Amino acid sequence: EKRVNKTLYVTGGITGFIFITGVLFKIMHWPGAGIALTFSVLLTVAVFIPILVINALKDKENQVQSFSILIFVLSFMAVNIMVFALRVSKNVLTSMRVSTQDNMMTSRVLESGNTLFLNEANMDSTLSPDRLGQANFIHEQTDALDNYLQEIMVDILLATHEDNRLAIAEDGSIDLGLVKDLDVHKSTELIIFGSQLEIGEGPDLLNSLKTHRHLLLVLAGPELDVVINELLDTGEQAPYGLPWLQQSFAQSPMIAAMISLSNLQFKIQFLEGELLKELL
C-alpha cells in the first residue's frame, strides 16, 4: 500500500508541475503551452485518477478523504481545460482582421487622393506659392509619419512570428490574410514598451503624434482645430486614468495593435486631406 501511495504522490506531483508550467507558458504566450496542458490532462485521466480510485477502494478507512481528492482533481481538470481554451474567439479575431484591413485600404485610398489633389494644385499657377509650400510640407510630414507607423506594424508582426515575414511585401504593405498568431500579446508590448535591454517605440510614437498634431494646428483654421484635437488626442491622462500608450497597447493582442496603428494612419491621411482643401 505504501508503494501505491508513493506512486500516487509522484504522479500527482509530476502532473501538477506540468500543469503549472503549461499555465506559465500560456500566460507568457510561449510555444509549447498547449502541449503541456494537454499532456497534464492525459496524465491525470490515464494515470493519476485510476491510481487514486484503486487506492480508495483498497483503503476503506480513508475512502472519504480519497474521493474528496478525486473531486478536487476533477475540478483541477476543469480549470485545465478552461485555461487551454483561454484565447480570443476566432470570430472576434476575424472581425478585427477585417477592420484592420479596411483601415489600411481606406488609408491608401486617402493617400492617393491627397497626392493627386496636391499634384493638380502644383500645376495651378493661380494658387499662392506660400500656400503650396505649406501644403507640400504637410504632405511630406504626413508621409513620413505614415511610413513610421507602418514600420512599427511590421516590427510587431516580425516579433510575433518569423513566418509573418511572408505577409510583408517589398514596399512594406501587409497582407493580413497571411499573418499568424493574431492573439499574441507579448510582441506588441515588446515593440511598444521595450524590455530591460532596449527602449520601445512608445515614447517616439507619442512624440511623433504630438509633433504632427501641433504642426496641423499651426496651419489649420479654428473649425479644423477641433477635429485635429479629437482625432489625434494623446493626452497624458486618457479615460479610466490610463496614459494613452497604456490604454492603446498594454495587454493588447497583436491584431488590436494593428487596428490602433492602422487607425492612426487613416486619421492622419484624412486630416491631411481636410487641411489641403482648407489651404488650397
Side-chain angles (χ1 to χ4, degrees), residues 118 122 129-145 211-219 268 272 275-276 279-280:
L118 189 57
N122 282 319
D130 289 341
R131 292 271 180 146
L132 280 173
Q134 292 173 348
N136 281 293
F137 181 67
I138 284 294
H139 186 65
E140 291 171 3
Q141 295 303 308
T142 299
D143 275 354
L145 181 54
T211 300
H212 193 72
R213 184 182 68 214
H214 177 71
L215 174 64
L216 296 179
L217 290 173
V218 168
L219 298 175
I268 63 172
E272 181 198 348
L275 188 52
L276 290 180
L279 286 173
L280 304 177

Side-chain angles (χ1 to χ4, degrees), residues 174-191:
I174 298 169
D175 182 358
L176 285 175
L178 301 177
V179 171
K180 293 184 176 181
D181 294 342
L182 299 175
D183 59 341
V184 168
H185 294 65
K186 203 68 179 175
S187 55
T188 300
E189 296 188 356
L190 176 64
I191 299 301

Side-chain angles (χ1 to χ4, degrees), residues 14-180:
I14 293 174
T15 304
F17 175 78
I18 295 174
F19 170 71
I20 292 172
T21 301
V23 171
L24 174 63
F25 274 50
K26 188 73 176 177
I27 293 173
M28 301 302 294
H29 294 278
W30 292 338
I35 296 174
L37 292 170
T38 301
F39 187 68
S40 66
V41 170
L42 294 176
L43 193 61
T44 301
V45 173
V47 180
F48 185 74
I49 289 180
I51 293 176
L52 179 63
V53 172
I54 292 173
N55 183 64
L57 294 175
K58 287 184 177 180
D59 187 6
K60 298 188 180 297
E61 294 181 2
N62 297 312
Q63 274 188 349
V64 175
Q65 180 183 0
S66 297
F67 281 107
S68 297
I69 295 175
L70 179 60
I71 294 173
F72 173 78
V73 170
L74 293 175
S75 301
F76 153 81
M77 286 184 59
V79 172
N80 194 334
I81 294 171
M82 181 182 69
V83 171
F84 182 71
L86 191 61
R87 57 183 303 160
V88 182
S89 162
K90 247 184 183 178
N91 292 336
V92 173
L93 290 176
T94 299
S95 175
M96 295 171 81
R97 188 201 300 263
V98 171
S99 296
T100 307
Q101 201 74 57
D102 287 346
N103 283 344
M104 291 178 175
M105 183 180 66
T106 306
S107 298
R108 298 291 71 85
V109 170
L110 290 174
E111 181 184 21
S112 298
N114 293 341
T115 302
L116 180 62
F117 181 71
L118 189 57
N119 288 341
E120 291 177 351
N122 282 319
M123 292 186 291
D124 188 346
S125 59
T126 63
L127 291 175
S128 164
D130 289 341
R131 292 271 180 146
L132 280 173
Q134 292 173 348
N136 281 293
F137 181 67
I138 284 294
H139 186 65
E140 291 171 3
Q141 295 303 308
T142 299
D143 275 354
L145 181 54
D146 187 281
N147 291 334
Y148 177 54
L149 293 169
Q150 192 73 12
E151 288 172 6
I152 295 177
M153 294 168 72
V154 168
D155 288 343
I156 292 175
L157 288 181
L158 295 179
T160 301
H161 199 293
E162 181 61 28
D163 288 350
N164 284 341
R165 191 176 298 276
L166 300 174
I168 304 167
E170 292 184 4
D171 62 356
S173 60
I174 298 169
D175 182 358
L176 285 175
L178 301 177
V179 171
K180 293 184 176 181

Side-chain angles (χ1 to χ4, degrees), residues 233-244 247:
D233 179 21
T234 55
E236 291 301 317
Q237 290 298 322
Y240 313 110
L242 293 174
W244 180 82
Q247 186 190 12

